[in-house]
Amino acid sequence: MKKIIETLKTWKFWKEFIIMTLGMLVGAAAVNYFLVPSKIIIGSISGLSIVLAAVFEGIGISIKVSTVIVIINAILLVLAYVLIGSEFGLKTVYTALILGPMMDLWEKIYPVANFLTEPGQTSVMNDPWFDLLCFVLLLSISQSILFNINASTGGLDILGKIMNKYFHLDIGTSVSVAGIIICCTAFAINPFRMVVIGILGTFINGLCIDYFTASINKRKRVCIISTEHERIRDFIVAKLQRGCSLYEVTGGYSGEKSMEVQALLTQEEFANLLAFMKDNEIKAFTTAGNVSEVYGLWHQHSRKH
């Protein structure tokens, strides 16, 4: 209990809490405005909830999609605890259970019916492909934001982890298989064409997640060869508050020995470093490349203070 209280007092907890809330708010908008009205079923718990809600309605039981989402996520969280263990923390519980209520919130703020202004219009974009693209774009942004702080939307991720443990499939394969199975349930309410669109949407969603995640985590690997390497090192360490490495190098053409400074920087930090070198007229040979993921000690919390 004491540990929980200490965690609640930290800025990191509240920052991630706000990020998770905003991320799920974007995801809920994607589901409420584009997925539900178009009835496109992609590999997600939201898609499965649309199918189940339609099936129940067909037998005379009226139930909202948001309610089905809450019920399924609650069941999956229990299964995750029993079958996998306690590795799913409060982040997954929180994000999984607020999706349904946030859909209801969006519907109260601006109902879907307000978008349906043309005769015969059944969805916001009134075209399954545009609805699919809008949904995938917003959902991918939401998922990328959550993945960046080690959180997830729950649902399909939980199914993937269960399949990974008991069927010994790679986690990526597990999530894909679970997604395709969910897409196939759409045959109960959608024609073949719409099911194919959903399967393609599942595939596009994966590509978009990879793109946005790589963009969020992108860093610059900077290599600088200069006789004024100490000034450059001091600026990186003292001003940018980043670590760096020094290597002795020998010029292949001149045979002269020099020092190379290597550092991993954000785009803003890299721009500041270039500005410093330009303002101080430091002569240097500089190369920079993009790094999509960084593990270990390079993070905000490990920066020098």
Side-chain angles (χ1 to χ4, degrees), residues 15 18 31 42 64 77 119 133 150 162 165 169-170 175 211 218 232-233 268 275 285 287 298:
K15 181 180 71 174
I18 293 171
V31 175
I42 73 165
K64 293 193 297 185
L77 287 169
L133 292 175
N150 196 31
I162 292 175
K165 179 176 181 179
L169 299 174
D170 292 337
V175 173
Y211 174 78
K218 185 170 67 176
I232 297 172
R233 184 191 69 83
E268 181 182 0
F285 176 77
T287 60
W298 194 100

mmCIF file of all heavy atoms in Angstrom, residues 15 18 31 42 64 77 119 133 150 162 165 169-170 175 211 218 232-233 268 275 285 287 298:
data_model
loop_
_atom_site.group_PDB
_atom_site.id
_atom_site.type_symbol
_atom_site.label_atom_id
_atom_site.label_comp_id
_atom_site.label_asym_id
_atom_site.label_seq_id
_atom_site.Cartn_x
_atom_site.Cartn_y
_atom_site.Cartn_z
ATOM 1 N N LYS A 15 1.809 11.915 -15.492
ATOM 2 C CA LYS A 15 2.077 12.203 -16.895
ATOM 3 C C LYS A 15 1.598 11.048 -17.767
ATOM 4 O O LYS A 15 0.918 11.257 -18.786
ATOM 5 C CB LYS A 15 3.577 12.446 -17.110
ATOM 6 C CG LYS A 15 3.934 12.771 -18.559
ATOM 7 C CD LYS A 15 5.423 13.011 -18.737
ATOM 8 C CE LYS A 15 6.194 11.710 -18.606
ATOM 9 N NZ LYS A 15 7.641 11.888 -18.925
ATOM 10 N N ILE A 18 -2.214 10.851 -17.900
ATOM 11 C CA ILE A 18 -2.793 11.818 -18.846
ATOM 12 C C ILE A 18 -2.588 11.336 -20.285
ATOM 13 O O ILE A 18 -3.509 11.403 -21.113
ATOM 14 C CB ILE A 18 -2.158 13.208 -18.644
ATOM 15 C CG1 ILE A 18 -2.550 13.775 -17.283
ATOM 16 C CG2 ILE A 18 -2.575 14.162 -19.763
ATOM 17 C CD1 ILE A 18 -1.805 15.043 -16.904
ATOM 18 N N VAL A 31 -13.207 4.440 -33.073
ATOM 19 C CA VAL A 31 -14.197 3.359 -33.042
ATOM 20 C C VAL A 31 -15.610 3.907 -33.186
ATOM 21 O O VAL A 31 -16.424 3.392 -33.975
ATOM 22 C CB VAL A 31 -14.069 2.549 -31.726
ATOM 23 C CG1 VAL A 31 -15.178 1.496 -31.643
ATOM 24 C CG2 VAL A 31 -12.707 1.880 -31.641
ATOM 25 N N ILE A 42 -12.548 -5.160 -38.338
ATOM 26 C CA ILE A 42 -11.132 -5.483 -38.431
ATOM 27 C C ILE A 42 -10.747 -6.293 -37.202
ATOM 28 O O ILE A 42 -11.552 -6.482 -36.286
ATOM 29 C CB ILE A 42 -10.257 -4.219 -38.553
ATOM 30 C CG1 ILE A 42 -10.198 -3.469 -37.217
ATOM 31 C CG2 ILE A 42 -10.752 -3.314 -39.645
ATOM 32 C CD1 ILE A 42 -9.097 -2.446 -37.168
ATOM 33 N N LYS A 64 -25.676 -2.087 -26.454
ATOM 34 C CA LYS A 64 -24.774 -1.157 -27.120
ATOM 35 C C LYS A 64 -23.398 -1.787 -27.331
ATOM 36 O O LYS A 64 -22.946 -2.604 -26.529
ATOM 37 C CB LYS A 64 -24.629 0.130 -26.307
ATOM 38 C CG LYS A 64 -25.910 0.965 -26.250
ATOM 39 C CD LYS A 64 -25.635 2.344 -25.726
ATOM 40 C CE LYS A 64 -25.130 2.325 -24.305
ATOM 41 N NZ LYS A 64 -24.974 3.714 -23.768
ATOM 42 N N LEU A 77 -9.332 -9.616 -19.188
ATOM 43 C CA LEU A 77 -8.413 -9.244 -18.120
ATOM 44 C C LEU A 77 -8.371 -10.321 -17.032
ATOM 45 O O LEU A 77 -7.318 -10.618 -16.470
ATOM 46 C CB LEU A 77 -8.811 -7.892 -17.524
ATOM 47 C CG LEU A 77 -8.520 -6.675 -18.403
ATOM 48 C CD1 LEU A 77 -9.180 -5.425 -17.847
ATOM 49 C CD2 LEU A 77 -7.020 -6.472 -18.538
ATOM 50 N N PRO A 119 -28.972 12.092 -47.952
ATOM 51 C CA PRO A 119 -29.933 10.990 -48.054
ATOM 52 C C PRO A 119 -29.229 9.656 -48.315
ATOM 53 O O PRO A 119 -28.362 9.567 -49.182
ATOM 54 C CB PRO A 119 -30.802 11.396 -49.262
ATOM 55 C CG PRO A 119 -30.642 12.877 -49.369
ATOM 56 C CD PRO A 119 -29.243 13.174 -48.928
ATOM 57 N N LEU A 133 -9.797 3.833 -43.727
ATOM 58 C CA LEU A 133 -8.545 4.575 -43.639
ATOM 59 C C LEU A 133 -8.551 5.562 -42.469
ATOM 60 O O LEU A 133 -7.549 5.700 -41.755
ATOM 61 C CB LEU A 133 -8.273 5.311 -44.953
ATOM 62 C CG LEU A 133 -7.963 4.421 -46.165
ATOM 63 C CD1 LEU A 133 -7.838 5.259 -47.424
ATOM 64 C CD2 LEU A 133 -6.685 3.628 -45.933
ATOM 65 N N ASN A 150 4.798 2.036 -22.753
ATOM 66 C CA ASN A 150 4.686 0.665 -22.271
ATOM 67 C C ASN A 150 3.275 0.337 -21.800
ATOM 68 O O ASN A 150 3.071 -0.311 -20.774
ATOM 69 C CB ASN A 150 5.690 0.407 -21.136
ATOM 70 C CG ASN A 150 5.884 -1.079 -20.886
ATOM 71 O OD1 ASN A 150 5.775 -1.888 -21.812
ATOM 72 N ND2 ASN A 150 6.173 -1.439 -19.653
ATOM 73 N N ILE A 162 -2.045 -14.779 -24.762
ATOM 74 C CA ILE A 162 -2.536 -16.099 -24.362
ATOM 75 C C ILE A 162 -2.159 -17.145 -25.413
ATOM 76 O O ILE A 162 -1.683 -18.246 -25.085
ATOM 77 C CB ILE A 162 -4.059 -16.069 -24.145
ATOM 78 C CG1 ILE A 162 -4.400 -15.215 -22.912
ATOM 79 C CG2 ILE A 162 -4.613 -17.483 -23.960
ATOM 80 C CD1 ILE A 162 -5.883 -15.016 -22.688
ATOM 81 N N LYS A 165 1.573 -17.980 -25.302
ATOM 82 C CA LYS A 165 2.005 -18.836 -24.203
ATOM 83 C C LYS A 165 1.602 -20.291 -24.404
ATOM 84 O O LYS A 165 2.395 -21.205 -24.160
ATOM 85 C CB LYS A 165 1.426 -18.317 -22.880
ATOM 86 C CG LYS A 165 1.825 -19.172 -21.677
ATOM 87 C CD LYS A 165 1.327 -18.581 -20.373
ATOM 88 C CE LYS A 165 1.748 -19.438 -19.187
ATOM 89 N NZ LYS A 165 1.296 -18.867 -17.898
ATOM 90 N N LEU A 169 3.432 -19.649 -30.357
ATOM 91 C CA LEU A 169 3.608 -18.834 -31.557
ATOM 92 C C LEU A 169 4.336 -17.553 -31.191
ATOM 93 O O LEU A 169 4.292 -17.110 -30.038
ATOM 94 C CB LEU A 169 2.253 -18.490 -32.182
ATOM 95 C CG LEU A 169 1.376 -19.658 -32.651
ATOM 96 C CD1 LEU A 169 0.013 -19.140 -33.094
ATOM 97 C CD2 LEU A 169 2.043 -20.408 -33.785
ATOM 98 N N ASP A 170 5.025 -16.948 -32.164
ATOM 99 C CA ASP A 170 5.607 -15.632 -31.924
ATOM 100 C C ASP A 170 4.493 -14.650 -31.595
ATOM 101 O O ASP A 170 3.360 -14.794 -32.068
ATOM 102 C CB ASP A 170 6.365 -15.141 -33.165
ATOM 103 C CG ASP A 170 7.615 -15.979 -33.428
ATOM 104 O OD1 ASP A 170 8.100 -16.590 -32.471
ATOM 105 O OD2 ASP A 170 8.064 -16.015 -34.594
ATOM 106 N N VAL A 175 -0.883 -12.229 -32.503
ATOM 107 C CA VAL A 175 -1.799 -11.096 -32.655
ATOM 108 C C VAL A 175 -2.445 -11.112 -34.034
ATOM 109 O O VAL A 175 -3.647 -10.849 -34.183
ATOM 110 C CB VAL A 175 -1.046 -9.769 -32.420
ATOM 111 C CG1 VAL A 175 -1.929 -8.576 -32.748
ATOM 112 C CG2 VAL A 175 -0.584 -9.681 -30.963
ATOM 113 N N TYR A 211 4.997 2.371 -38.361
ATOM 114 C CA TYR A 211 5.457 3.677 -38.835
ATOM 115 C C TYR A 211 5.411 4.724 -37.727
ATOM 116 O O TYR A 211 6.396 5.432 -37.485
ATOM 117 C CB TYR A 211 4.600 4.138 -40.014
ATOM 118 C CG TYR A 211 4.915 5.549 -40.459
ATOM 119 C CD1 TYR A 211 6.040 5.826 -41.236
ATOM 120 C CD2 TYR A 211 4.095 6.615 -40.081
ATOM 121 C CE1 TYR A 211 6.344 7.125 -41.621
ATOM 122 C CE2 TYR A 211 4.387 7.915 -40.466
ATOM 123 C CZ TYR A 211 5.512 8.163 -41.236
ATOM 124 O OH TYR A 211 5.799 9.451 -41.603
ATOM 125 N N LYS A 218 12.159 7.821 -32.874
ATOM 126 C CA LYS A 218 13.318 8.092 -33.724
ATOM 127 C C LYS A 218 14.331 9.004 -33.028
ATOM 128 O O LYS A 218 13.970 10.013 -32.440
ATOM 129 C CB LYS A 218 12.870 8.731 -35.034
ATOM 130 C CG LYS A 218 13.999 8.939 -36.026
ATOM 131 C CD LYS A 218 13.470 9.344 -37.388
ATOM 132 C CE LYS A 218 12.841 10.720 -37.352
ATOM 133 N NZ LYS A 218 12.400 11.166 -38.685
ATOM 134 N N ILE A 232 32.997 20.141 -28.211
ATOM 135 C CA ILE A 232 31.772 19.449 -28.624
ATOM 136 C C ILE A 232 31.297 18.527 -27.505
ATOM 137 O O ILE A 232 30.105 18.485 -27.173
ATOM 138 C CB ILE A 232 32.023 18.647 -29.916
ATOM 139 C CG1 ILE A 232 32.386 19.598 -31.057
ATOM 140 C CG2 ILE A 232 30.807 17.808 -30.279
ATOM 141 C CD1 ILE A 232 32.845 18.900 -32.320
ATOM 142 N N ARG A 233 32.225 17.792 -26.903
ATOM 143 C CA ARG A 233 31.859 16.900 -25.796
ATOM 144 C C ARG A 233 31.270 17.685 -24.627
ATOM 145 O O ARG A 233 30.258 17.281 -24.041
ATOM 146 C CB ARG A 233 33.088 16.118 -25.329
ATOM 147 C CG ARG A 233 32.793 15.092 -24.228
ATOM 148 C CD ARG A 233 34.080 14.543 -23.629
ATOM 149 N NE ARG A 233 34.773 15.573 -22.864
ATOM 150 C CZ ARG A 233 34.458 15.879 -21.595
ATOM 151 N NH1 ARG A 233 33.471 15.250 -20.975
ATOM 152 N NH2 ARG A 233 35.141 16.820 -20.962
ATOM 153 N N GLU A 268 15.605 17.728 -31.844
ATOM 154 C CA GLU A 268 15.819 19.091 -31.327
ATOM 155 C C GLU A 268 17.235 19.261 -30.793
ATOM 156 O O GLU A 268 17.888 20.279 -31.038
ATOM 157 C CB GLU A 268 14.805 19.383 -30.218
ATOM 158 C CG GLU A 268 14.931 20.775 -29.623
ATOM 159 C CD GLU A 268 13.955 21.030 -28.493
ATOM 160 O OE1 GLU A 268 13.167 20.110 -28.173
ATOM 161 O OE2 GLU A 268 13.985 22.128 -27.930
ATOM 162 N N ALA A 275 23.713 24.095 -34.435
ATOM 163 C CA ALA A 275 23.721 25.550 -34.273
ATOM 164 C C ALA A 275 24.928 25.997 -33.449
ATOM 165 O O ALA A 275 25.579 27.009 -33.753
ATOM 166 C CB ALA A 275 22.422 26.003 -33.612
ATOM 167 N N PHE A 285 33.792 17.153 -39.351
ATOM 168 C CA PHE A 285 33.152 16.257 -40.314
ATOM 169 C C PHE A 285 32.037 15.538 -39.566
ATOM 170 O O PHE A 285 32.297 14.786 -38.624
ATOM 171 C CB PHE A 285 34.171 15.261 -40.884
ATOM 172 C CG PHE A 285 33.558 14.255 -41.821
ATOM 173 C CD1 PHE A 285 33.220 14.610 -43.119
ATOM 174 C CD2 PHE A 285 33.324 12.949 -41.401
ATOM 175 C CE1 PHE A 285 32.655 13.684 -43.988
ATOM 176 C CE2 PHE A 285 32.768 12.016 -42.265
ATOM 177 C CZ PHE A 285 32.431 12.387 -43.562
ATOM 178 N N THR A 287 28.394 13.259 -39.511
ATOM 179 C CA THR A 287 27.399 12.391 -40.144
ATOM 180 C C THR A 287 26.311 12.087 -39.121
ATOM 181 O O THR A 287 26.561 12.090 -37.907
ATOM 182 C CB THR A 287 28.013 11.068 -40.633
ATOM 183 O OG1 THR A 287 28.570 10.357 -39.518
ATOM 184 C CG2 THR A 287 29.088 11.319 -41.681
ATOM 185 N N TRP A 298 19.541 4.989 -22.174
ATOM 186 C CA TRP A 298 19.248 6.258 -22.857
ATOM 187 C C TRP A 298 17.762 6.570 -22.732
ATOM 188 O O TRP A 298 16.943 6.105 -23.507
ATOM 189 C CB TRP A 298 19.631 6.190 -24.328
ATOM 190 C CG TRP A 298 19.668 7.544 -24.988
ATOM 191 C CD1 TRP A 298 20.768 8.287 -25.246
ATOM 192 C CD2 TRP A 298 18.554 8.313 -25.475
ATOM 193 N NE1 TRP A 298 20.425 9.475 -25.860
ATOM 194 C CE2 TRP A 298 19.078 9.520 -26.004
ATOM 195 C CE3 TRP A 298 17.175 8.123 -25.511
ATOM 196 C CZ2 TRP A 298 18.269 10.504 -26.574
ATOM 197 C CZ3 TRP A 298 16.377 9.099 -26.052
ATOM 198 C CH2 TRP A 298 16.917 10.269 -26.582
#
